[in-house]
Amino acid sequence: MSRIKGAALLLLLFCCPLVWAMGKGVEEPILPLTQVVGLDPGKVALGERLFHDPRLSGDESISCAHCHPLGRGGADGLVRSPGVAGQLGEIHTPTVYNSFFNLAQLWSGGAADLTAQVRFPVHNPREMASDWSRVIAKLRTDGRYMAEFARLYPDDGLTGANIQDAIAVFEATLVTTDAPFDRWLRGDRTALDAQQLRGYRLFKSYGCIACHQGVSAGGNMYQRMGAMGDYFADRGSPLTSADMGRFNVTGDPLDRHMFKVPGLRLAALTAPYFHDGTTATLEEAIDIMARYQLGRAMPVEDNRAIAAFIRSLAGRHPALEH
């Protein structure tokens, strides 16, 4: 997994620089998505099986795919996801697609990479409510798992660390490629319509691009929710621990309400929005971002154009239905 983490860091170094749009003679701050290469196919297959295995949860009722259904954009579309015994999670579930390219995982950045992230839902009492000793005891009764772990991890076989590694390797394959916008970046002048092109120009001129750039159109920095207005006061509901954002990781008062900027690649498919899941539509989310992050009111026609552009960012994956 060190190779995967290293590759991710290398790619992230190139998320912020501009990219030359082939055939257009312009430089663009969003890069085309490409599949991650060099992954062990055996570990990919093992990780995919584990990702869909409810035995990772305490009562064997939910799997990773329960909250991250791959056919529905990699997120369940709920404000907060139900875990073991119907307990609701504390924060809105983000998509697992393209998460390989994030600078860190979780809204707070509390997990350094995909490998580290896997343990969080497994150990969270409101989510999968288990631990590696219980998971391993179950999986040891499965001869196929035992054989696969012995072959793929000959040094130590079935361990919690190797479960995390296999799932992370599988998740690294969840990259959505061949989006209309990527085809346009590569020189296909017919890939975007006039509304989408206008939306992209507005996306840059309003300043959205300052936080949403790179291969994922986001995911490579932290930003305060409510930089230009008090989002939480206006929201009206009491503050929760999840609203504290990165402060929960660092303990630094300056990190209150700081969150990892979400990537927009599948934003058109993954409503509701933001860490609290309280925003139902893409157009509403755009208005909120304009108001609280840019300090601007946005005309309806501009909002619609930007939404059209964001929809052009959605690419393809064999498991994705859209």
Side-chain angles (χ1 to χ4, degrees), residues 4 27 39 53 77 89 92 105 137-139 145 148 159 162 197 213 224 226 263 310:
I4 292 179
E27 292 179 328
L39 302 174
D53 196 329
H92 176 59
Q105 304 301 322
K138 297 175 192 177
L139 300 188
Y145 269 136
E148 289 175 341
T159 66
N162 291 341
L197 287 170
Q213 21 61 23
R224 186 177 311 281
I310 291 173

Side-chain angles (χ1 to χ4, degrees), residues 158-173:
L158 176 58
T159 66
N162 291 341
I163 292 171
Q164 290 180 225
D165 182 77
I167 292 175
V169 172
F170 166 65
E171 290 178 338
T173 70

Side-chain angles (χ1 to χ4, degrees), residues 6 12 55 139 145-146 158 166 207 209 223 259 264 291 299 302:
L12 285 168
R55 286 177 288 185
L139 300 188
Y145 269 136
M146 293 299 290
L158 176 58
I209 202 72
Q223 185 56 267
F259 298 91
L264 297 182
R291 177 179 177 185
D302 289 1

Side-chain angles (χ1 to χ4, degrees), residues 116-181:
Q117 186 276 332
V118 172
R119 67 173 298 277
F120 280 82
V122 172
H123 289 77
N124 190 318
R126 301 177 68 90
E127 297 183 32
M128 301 179 91
S130 191
D131 56 62
W132 291 133
S133 63
R134 283 189 283 171
V135 171
I136 291 168
K138 297 175 192 177
L139 300 188
R140 277 180 179 155
T141 66
D142 188 317
R144 181 182 169 193
Y145 269 136
M146 293 299 290
E148 289 175 341
F149 274 99
R151 177 175 63 87
L152 295 166
Y153 300 93
D155 291 340
D156 45 7
L158 176 58
T159 66
N162 291 341
I163 292 171
Q164 290 180 225
D165 182 77
I167 292 175
V169 172
F170 166 65
E171 290 178 338
T173 70
L174 300 177
V175 180
T176 56
T177 59
D178 196 37
F181 184 76

Side-chain angles (χ1 to χ4, degrees), residues 293-309:
Q293 303 308 113
L294 302 174
R296 300 181 66 177
M298 184 176 289
V300 171
E301 58 271 21
D302 289 1
N303 180 304
R304 289 175 178 167
I306 289 175
F309 156 67

Side-chain angles (χ1 to χ4, degrees), residues 45-56 62-66 68-71 128 145 167 170 174 319:
L46 175 59
E48 181 174 13
R49 186 179 173 204
L50 290 164
F51 185 87
H52 291 89
D53 196 329
R55 286 177 288 185
L56 270 65
I62 64 171
S63 67
C64 305
H66 179 87
H68 297 283
L70 300 182
M128 301 179 91
Y145 269 136
I167 292 175
F170 166 65
L174 300 177

Side-chain angles (χ1 to χ4, degrees), residues 262-295:
L264 297 182
R265 282 294 185 167
L266 288 186
L269 308 179
T270 54
Y273 298 99
F274 310 136
H275 76 284
D276 54 14
T278 57
T279 301
T281 70
L282 180 59
E283 288 78 7
E284 184 183 0
I286 292 168
D287 272 341
I288 288 174
M289 286 290 96
R291 177 179 177 185
Y292 291 101
Q293 303 308 113
L294 302 174

